[in-house]
């Protein structure tokens, strides 16, 4: 699960593709604020930026490479905001 400033969208989709992750679900308008720093993303007059979210289920052997690419994107522009979480999938249909 990846939450990020909308400016990161193309780079994140590219990172998923380069690591062999074709499928994902995206939410193009997500609001919120980080727990540590950065500006809120509320889509309002005071805080006009928005976040986005992507959920991708990937094989275990690709997860580390994806997280590494996401970490690099975040480190390049840390004030924009990017958070990624890795959870085990125990079943799917």
């Amino acid at each position: 699960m990846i939450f990020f400033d909308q400016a990161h969208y193309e780079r994140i989709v590219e990172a998923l593709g380069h690591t062999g992750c074709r499928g994902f679900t995206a939410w193009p308008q997500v609001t919120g604020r980080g727990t540590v720093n950065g500006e809120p993303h509320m889509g309002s007059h005071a805080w006009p930026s928005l976040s986005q979210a992507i959920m991708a289920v990937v094989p275990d052997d690709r997860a580390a490479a994806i997280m590494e690419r996401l970490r690099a994107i975040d480190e390049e522009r840390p004030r924009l905001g990017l958070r990624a979480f890795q959870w085990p999938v125990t079943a799917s249909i």
Side-chain angles (χ1 to χ4, degrees):
M1 186 72 173
I2 312 162
F3 299 95
F4 53 92
D5 184 283
Q6 60 192 11
H8 284 312
Y9 180 79
E10 290 177 10
R11 294 205 54 216
I12 290 173
V13 171
E14 180 180 296
L16 291 172
H18 283 318
T19 52
C21 176
R22 182 184 176 278
F24 63 87
T25 299
W27 290 267
Q29 293 186 357
V30 178
T31 60
R33 69 175 177 216
T35 57
V36 178
N37 55 22
E39 296 182 356
H41 292 69
M42 299 297 194
S44 67
H45 294 293
W47 304 104
S49 64
L50 287 166
S51 292
Q52 294 187 353
I54 287 180
M55 180 176 281
V57 178
V58 302
D60 289 340
D61 63 340
R62 295 187 191 147
I66 292 169
M67 293 295 274
E68 187 176 314
R69 284 182 176 262
L70 295 174
R71 186 172 287 111
I73 292 169
D74 184 45
E75 288 174 353
E76 287 177 18
R77 298 181 72 190
R79 293 205 37 91
L80 282 182
L82 188 157
R83 296 293 179 263
F85 305 91
Q86 184 176 336
W87 299 312
V89 175
T90 58
S92 66
I93 56 169

